[in-house]
Amino acid sequence: MARRSSRNTQQEKLDLKSISAAISSIVQPETFLSEKAKEEKTTEVLSFEDALQAIETACRPSTLDSIKSIAESLLSAVLLAGEDVQNWKLLLLTIVRKRYHMKSPEAKSIKKGEEKKEQDQNAFSRDASGHGERLCFYVLLASLHHLSRTPASCIAEYSRKACRCLGRLAIAAGGTRDICYLIEHLVYEDLVQNDVIETRKCEGNKRAISTAVIKLLSSSENEKSSEPTILCDLVKAAADLLDKDFLIIEGRDNNNGLNKDVELQSTINTFVPHHDRGTNERRLVQSIAELMIWSETEHSQSDPKFVQAMADLKSSTLSLLPSNASMDDKIVTNLHVVQTSIRRFRQKLNESSRRQGFSLCSSYTMDPKAVTLSMVKRGREGDVMSLEKLARKKQDKNTMKLISNRFADPSKAVPIQSLRDLCTNWISLLDDKGHDDELGELQLNIQEATVKATIRKLISKIPKISSKKEVVIASLDGKVENDCAAILTAAAMDSKFCLDDECEEKLDRDECTVTLFIKEKRTTVSTLAEVLSLLDGIICTKRCTSNSDDIDTTPATTKDVQNLIERHLGSNSHLLLFASTDVKIEQRVLANLQLEKNHVHCHLTDGFQYRMQREKAKVGDMTITLAWDNECDLDLHCICPNGDHISYSRKEGGGSIGGGYLDVDMNVHGESKEPVENIFFGDAEAGIEAAKGKYKVFVQNYAYHGKTVNDGDPVPWRLRVLKNGKIEDYNGECIGSGSKSNATAVEFEYEGRTSSKPEDVGSALSSSNLVSVTSSTGDSLDSLIGLMSIVEDCDQLTTVQN
């Protein structure tokens, strides 16, 4: 898996000041109308169509240069359009298409993985994913706004009309975010033009606020008799939305919440400017924009304090006295009264939104796919609970996943509990379904962190060794759990392995050379990326090749194991073999191991084998084994070819020769959380075949026991059939209890043994008392931790032998 590229920490900050400065450096009203400038600009592109194409294909703005590039493209298009009304219409349609019709094509390409890695440095950061066209739109409209302030000309007139047209469209199609953000940009431009920003820089914030309020209130009186501007349109739209939301709240309160068809609030209260947002120039802009919007609302007129403070502000600004410190104090004092009233208005809107779970539930009601993981993480507990109720009602599993993962944090990942859990919950690294959304990215990060934590845990349990050791780790039978265990163990033991892809993390381990074999292929695991890639290939390949949950595994043969020992195990070396069943080794090989001072450790990751060994279950020509992981009393049933029914009530059946016997029956009283039941037929080593014919195996939940599973809940189980030297695994569950819970596991026809009789050789388990051969079982993390000291344990055994 390729390592994710780190974000550029030196990325330029795009704020109001820098964006405005970048646009102003390109669109200069005093000079751009000169004939020389016209020639220079119009020769930069071949035609008006080329200028439109440059606007439509503009990249996501991430630097000041990209802001300037967009402004230059617009200026070229404006100069080429000239006085042609049709060209101006085409220009506006291009801007509109880029913002509202194309639906963020670059964001889509990022989702589909179509961008090249070499373009990543120039692409906008993923934090701004989905906002590229919005910022382009703001830059284009701000550029037109600059042009509308040029000396009297057709371009200024057309730019003014274009701004109002785009503003009205933003109100209808762009939503409350576009309205509020455009207001912020336009207010800043007005403050710059009226030298308020320069006043703040030279004379301080109080004088700047006083000056801005005076300019605002005086200009508002003048604009009543003149043609409205785009800023007036946007401010009026924001005020109307606020008034409408208050009417909705009042209607809901009057109905005591009984009217379920009441109209939803808008999102204006989320984005409307307010004086506590931002710092420096932005805070000043937010304060003035807030005053402009709320002074236009009808609801504000219901607050006497607000009305009186606004009247005092207007009287101060209309006085003919020159501005001084006393007047500044008076204006600021009245402004604080206004802001206090506005704070109460906003608090009422926010409380109503939270009561209705607005920020999540309303978005979910309008479009379930609009709710993202980041929204759920930011949501208040009450909002999330309301959203959860809606999602449960609609049986929306995707939203429920978002809610259940809202507290997930890769930095707090813990090691795996068992190999089975790792394989069951694995998410493919190459599956597009998990990579194009926040939840999929989070799950992949957690998965990577979990594997990393597991390897780190194993490394921490490796004891100090006195000399260099060589270890061969192998998994030969193709069982997924064995392969995964071999990979994790090899990564932990190999002193050359780097837990960080760039080897930045140094690991405190003694020198140990590890050779890893998966089946018969020699494999390397030197980095975490290689470990993840190997695990992904093994787990996902097995999933793809299995049409169902049934998995056919061929245990490693005596020949396979002995070939590995003779070819790859040097003197004074160690072999750690992961297997699904007991390993057979000839006596001559066992003797040679002791002569060469080699050591073989066989680890059975298979829970079946461990439980069968614990309960002393027998293996026949054909063996059927049931395992589950709770205290419930599951029963194994088998219908034999002659019609006999083997179960807890009749443990023997199928005929006198080749018949079967239930030798292990557990959890009658719920005494174990790791139970097993077993039926064996015939005796392979004695040459007695199981009866030929059709077998039917099913599982029944006789009764619920313990607290692990609630009454009525599904009880999952695993079943294994061993015949002809091959293992077939099946999975299922029982729901309820008694005969109604019967779940058929498998039906098959047995035609007799086709594989050769098992060799009469020593086994790893039975040979565990030898110094050169040891064994262990288990698929849990604790069982893998026990393998970390295998080299030291072997050295101690050798010392005892000597």
Side-chain angles (χ1 to χ4, degrees), residues 9 123 134 182 208 210 248 282 330 344 374 454 465 491 523 561 574 593 609 624 721 740 744 765 780:
T9 57
R134 180 177 287 116
L182 286 173
S210 176
I248 291 172
R282 192 185 182 208
K330 186 176 181 180
R344 288 197 298 270
S374 58
T454 302
I465 55 178
T523 309
V561 177
H574 305 268
L593 286 173
Q609 190 73 24
I624 302 172
V721 178
K740 66 180 181 181
T744 300
L765 293 179
S780 66

Side-chain angles (χ1 to χ4, degrees), residues 69-127:
S69 176
I70 294 173
E72 285 178 345
S73 298
L74 178 78
L75 182 57
S76 298
V78 166
L79 293 175
L80 288 165
E83 300 181 16
D84 191 329
V85 176
Q86 295 303 318
N87 281 348
W88 275 91
K89 289 180 179 180
L90 287 174
L91 173 59
L92 287 188
L93 287 173
T94 300
I95 296 173
V96 170
R97 171 180 165 79
K98 180 169 182 61
R99 172 65 185 98
Y100 299 111
H101 181 65
M102 295 175 72
K103 296 181 180 179
S104 302
E106 278 196 335
K108 283 188 174 183
S109 69
I110 290 175
K111 274 189 173 184
K112 296 177 181 178
E114 294 175 355
E115 283 199 341
K116 303 293 184 183
K117 292 181 181 178
E118 56 265 27
Q119 293 175 335
D120 286 345
Q121 294 179 352
N122 298 323
F124 202 47
S125 69
R126 292 184 70 89
D127 284 341

Side-chain angles (χ1 to χ4, degrees), residues 396-407:
D396 186 347
K397 294 182 179 179
N398 289 332
T399 303
M400 291 303 299
K401 285 182 180 178
L402 294 178
I403 295 172
S404 62
N405 283 278
R406 69 186 187 277
F407 298 123

Side-chain angles (χ1 to χ4, degrees), residues 324-377:
N324 52 45
S326 177
M327 180 178 290
D328 291 345
D329 290 338
K330 186 176 181 180
I331 290 175
V332 170
T333 300
N334 286 314
L335 182 61
H336 284 168
V337 175
V338 170
Q339 290 173 344
T340 301
S341 296
I342 292 173
R343 188 182 293 111
R344 288 197 298 270
F345 300 154
R346 295 186 70 254
Q347 185 177 4
K348 185 175 181 179
L349 289 172
N350 291 334
E351 286 177 354
S352 175
S353 298
R354 287 196 293 271
R355 245 188 347 260
Q356 299 299 313
F358 170 77
S359 57
L360 292 174
C361 294
S362 296
S363 298
Y364 182 79
T365 302
M366 291 183 283
D367 181 9
K369 295 181 180 179
V371 177
T372 63
L373 181 63
S374 58
M375 291 172 63
V376 175
K377 282 186 172 183

Side-chain angles (χ1 to χ4, degrees), residues 363-429:
S363 298
Y364 182 79
T365 302
M366 291 183 283
D367 181 9
K369 295 181 180 179
V371 177
T372 63
L373 181 63
S374 58
M375 291 172 63
V376 175
K377 282 186 172 183
R378 292 195 302 266
R380 294 174 178 267
E381 188 64 26
D383 296 358
V384 176
M385 290 176 66
S386 299
L387 176 64
E388 185 175 5
K389 290 179 182 178
L390 283 177
R392 285 188 185 279
K393 187 175 181 180
K394 292 187 177 183
Q395 296 183 344
D396 186 347
K397 294 182 179 179
N398 289 332
T399 303
M400 291 303 299
K401 285 182 180 178
L402 294 178
I403 295 172
S404 62
N405 283 278
R406 69 186 187 277
F407 298 123
D409 185 356
S411 65
K412 298 178 181 178
V414 297
I416 61 171
Q417 294 299 309
S418 69
L419 293 166
R420 193 185 321 129
D421 290 343
L422 175 68
C423 298
T424 302
N425 301 322
W426 187 263
I427 301 171
S428 173
L429 305 181

